[in-house]
Amino acid sequence: MSRALELAQQLAETHNLPDEGLLYLLDHREGTAAFLQEQAQAACQQWYGRQVFIRGLLEFTNFCKNNCYYCGIRKGNPEAQRYRLSQEQILACCQTGYELGFRTFVLQGGEDPWFTDERLCALVRAIKERWPDCAVTLSVGERSRESYRLLKEAGADRYLLRHETATPGHYARLHPPELSLARRLECLQDLKDLGYQVGAGFMVGSPYQTQEDLVRDLRFLKEFQPHMVGIGPFLSQKDTPFREFPNGSGELTLYLLSLIRLLLPKVLLPATTALGTLLPGGREMGILHGANVVMPNLSPQDAREKYTLYDNKLHSGAEAAESLGLLRQSLGKIGYEVAVTRGDSLGS
């Protein structure tokens, strides 16, 4: 048996590997991908069966005070068509989603100063009052610990904050000087301390990323033990400083989904829109590599078209919440079913 396969078996059995073992697997994917995919799918089914949890995604503002070099809604992009959804619009989207069977709403936006604690807390309270059996997930970036505390008290259940990369030097090459990895990790720890179900994650194939950077990402996830992990391929956007960089690899993203599932067997692991944008059938492939969450878009159609984190974003067909029937059909073909449930994490 090859060393790579021995390491893959060790990972499947112990749910851990030393850094050099993870690096060896990343460098020898060809001989281990099928085995790890099979083991990751089995590990996911052990805890969650063949259920896929759906989250209704609401991209409610594309204003952002930051200038991250990879992001199409960065403050310095004059081409972005800015918008904010009103509370009434957001609640109408939630109503549509609830009727479709969504029991988690994900409020995602840029770091928009207009959404003060008062406004955001009022929005969270309004959703929880109308749909008390639903979970509210926030994905609105770095805020103060006090802000996170107030939002938790208002009813927010979960918070997604990708760490982006666990290597400080790499983080500095992706972000302007006023943003730091240390601050990002402090926010993640605050969220966990306050009792949120917390999601971290990173881009695959972001500019200047090395295999060693990916190993640090995997080690960080193993040590931090988030409830959710969101990864997706880097996709370039034409109005950013990284417009000329090649997109990340779909194959490597799928392989990393399997690695993450085996490192964190109980984690909630989305098959992301970015993966579906890069690969035909990418979300279904993600499920077959250990993912168990999809996040169809509940935003109004014109907002979807303006939330341009990257180019050619998938926002029609099975990606649109109205086409949930298509999603059920495509998942049914691979032996999975959509769960009408909050879909809480079983671990961390």
Side-chain angles (χ1 to χ4, degrees), residues 23 26 39 66 72 84 92 121 138 148 216 219 229 270 274 348:
L23 184 59
L26 288 172
Q39 294 297 311
N66 294 330
R84 289 184 187 102
C121 285
L138 297 175
Y148 292 149
R216 288 188 198 98
R219 181 58 54 207
V229 173
S348 138

Side-chain angles (χ1 to χ4, degrees), residues 124-145:
V124 171
R125 275 194 294 269
I127 293 171
K128 295 293 277 196
E129 282 167 10
R130 284 165 179 76
W131 302 282
D133 56 330
C134 291
V136 172
T137 302
L138 297 175
S139 182
V140 288
E142 296 179 8
R143 300 174 78 92
S144 68
R145 185 184 176 99

Side-chain angles (χ1 to χ4, degrees), residues 220-347:
F220 166 71
L221 293 173
K222 182 65 179 172
E223 291 175 353
F224 181 67
Q225 293 280 314
H227 303 83
M228 304 167 276
V229 173
I231 69 165
F234 164 77
L235 298 176
S236 65
Q237 207 277 340
K238 60 183 174 55
D239 302 316
T240 69
F242 287 163
R243 66 181 71 85
E244 302 297 334
F245 280 84
N247 288 336
S249 158
E251 171 268 327
L252 178 55
T253 303
L254 292 169
Y255 191 83
L256 283 160
L257 283 173
S258 296
L259 289 181
I260 291 165
R261 171 59 65 197
L262 291 171
L263 284 167
L264 299 165
K266 298 181 186 178
V267 81
L268 293 168
L269 191 58
T272 58
T273 302
L275 185 58
T277 298
L278 185 67
L279 296 176
R283 289 192 313 185
E284 290 74 18
M285 291 166 73
I287 299 299
L288 292 172
H289 283 76
N292 66 332
V293 174
V294 291
M295 297 170 66
N297 205 321
L298 281 173
S299 312
Q301 189 66 38
D302 60 337
R304 296 178 206 179
E305 291 163 4
K306 293 172 184 171
Y307 202 79
T308 50
L309 302 181
Y310 47 80
D311 289 339
N312 306 309
K313 188 178 119 188
L314 196 68
H315 55 70
S316 59
E319 176 57 24
E322 304 82 83
S323 299
L324 195 54
L326 284 178
L327 179 62
R328 289 183 196 277
Q329 199 175 10
S330 66
L331 292 174
K333 285 177 183 172
I334 60 171
Y336 285 80
E337 63 177 4
V338 168
V340 178
T341 167
R342 280 171 47 123
D344 287 298
S345 170
L346 297 176

Side-chain angles (χ1 to χ4, degrees), residues 112-174:
D112 181 353
W114 189 87
F115 279 98
T116 58
D117 291 341
E118 187 179 1
R119 285 175 172 143
L120 211 45
C121 285
L123 177 56
V124 171
R125 275 194 294 269
I127 293 171
K128 295 293 277 196
E129 282 167 10
R130 284 165 179 76
W131 302 282
D133 56 330
C134 291
V136 172
T137 302
L138 297 175
S139 182
V140 288
E142 296 179 8
R143 300 174 78 92
S144 68
R145 185 184 176 99
E146 176 64 7
S147 174
Y148 292 149
R149 186 186 67 76
L150 291 169
L151 290 165
K152 187 82 175 63
E153 288 178 358
D157 302 279
R158 307 176 187 143
Y159 204 103
L160 306 179
L161 184 67
R162 284 188 174 185
H163 66 278
E164 302 298 4
T165 170
T167 306
H170 185 217
Y171 196 94
R173 299 187 83 172
L174 302 179

